[in-house]
Amino acid sequence: MFRSRSKEGQTASPQVSAAETKQTRDPEAPKGRPTPKRSEARGPRRSMASTPMNRKDAVKRQREARRADMAKQREALASGDERYLPARDKGPVRRLARDFVDSRFSVAEFFLPMAVVILVLSMLPSLQLKNISLVLWLVVILLIIVDSIGVAVRLKKRLRERYPDEPKRGAVAYALMRTLQMRRMRLPKPQVARGEKP
């Protein structure tokens, strides 16, 4: 009885030792791999150090990243670089709408200077000048409406010709809002000269 158990124990022990001998490590690389270079070992540690350790650091880094994005966006608005433009200004349809507006004169872009003149006239004591200012208000508003309708019709036609498959939703309203701004105040800055065909 005891002999059979001892024989089983003896037969099991060589199998374990054989398995251990197969898994022995190379004496030159006791870790099972070559020792990494210092630059390779520092890489993961640096990335761990760069991750924020507390909420305050995370907020600070988000603020810095936001500032960098806003700076890129401002440069893109000045230069017309499509990569960093805001979502409302991106795409070939919006670019054509901008160029279409910037390549021509529109009545609406002179609205602010005309409004100042009309307000000054309406503040003068003369009743005749006040009546003239009211008539001028009506004339300016009618001219802006007629001009805006013309811009919308021509722009829709140009967009259908140039980009039949692109989504054009909101492009006409975008262009009409651009006409209300004076040329030098427009963002993104105009990329075409007046009279140039977009």
Side-chain angles (χ1 to χ4, degrees):
M1 232 164 105
F2 291 108
R3 285 185 184 176
S4 62
R5 285 184 185 170
S6 62
K7 283 180 184 177
E8 286 173 8
Q10 286 176 358
T11 55
S13 62
Q15 289 173 355
V16 172
S17 62
E20 287 175 358
T21 55
K22 286 180 185 176
Q23 292 180 357
T24 55
R25 295 179 180 157
D26 184 18
E28 291 182 11
K31 294 181 218 123
R33 58 179 171 74
T35 304
K37 293 181 181 177
R38 184 175 291 183
S39 60
E40 293 171 3
R42 279 185 185 168
R45 273 188 268 149
R46 280 186 180 163
S47 66
M48 285 174 64
S50 67
T51 56
M53 297 303 288
N54 59 15
R55 190 170 175 272
K56 191 175 180 181
D57 291 341
V59 169
K60 187 177 178 183
R61 288 191 185 182
Q62 282 179 349
R63 194 179 304 124
E64 288 171 3
R66 203 177 313 119
R67 279 185 191 149
D69 289 343
M70 290 300 288
K72 283 182 183 177
Q73 208 172 79
R74 276 193 299 273
E75 288 174 16
L77 286 170
S79 65
D81 187 1
E82 286 277 336
R83 294 174 297 170
Y84 302 114
L85 284 176
R88 70 182 171 86
D89 298 314
K90 277 187 180 176
V93 172
R94 297 295 170 109
R95 171 119 192 174
L96 178 62
R98 285 195 304 272
D99 292 347
F100 186 84
V101 169
D102 295 337
S103 66
R104 63 191 64 235
F105 284 100
S106 61
V107 178
E109 70 182 284
F110 301 109
F111 174 73
L112 284 176
M114 287 187 291
V116 171
V117 171
I118 293 169
L119 279 172
V120 169
L121 286 174
S122 66
M123 291 170 71
L124 293 174
S126 172
L127 186 63
Q128 192 175 6
L129 289 175
K130 286 183 180 180
N131 290 335
I132 290 171
S133 67
L134 284 173
V135 172
L136 283 174
W137 271 122
L138 289 172
V139 169
V140 167
I141 289 168
L142 283 173
L143 285 173
I144 289 172
I145 290 170
V146 170
D147 187 46
S148 298
I149 291 170
V151 167
V153 169
R154 289 194 301 269
L155 179 60
K156 278 181 184 177
K157 184 181 176 185
R158 184 74 58 87
L159 288 172
R160 279 196 300 268
E161 289 171 0
R162 188 86 58 92
Y163 302 110
D165 300 328
E166 293 280 334
K168 294 173 271 298
R169 185 177 178 187
V172 174
Y174 173 76
L176 292 177
M177 288 302 293
R178 193 169 174 87
T179 60
L180 288 168
Q181 301 165 346
M182 296 175 73
R183 185 179 168 88
R184 67 180 67 178
M185 307 288 284
R186 292 174 183 167
L187 288 175
K189 295 285 184 189
Q191 303 294 313
V192 294
R194 289 201 197 268
E196 188 180 335
K197 193 174 180 182

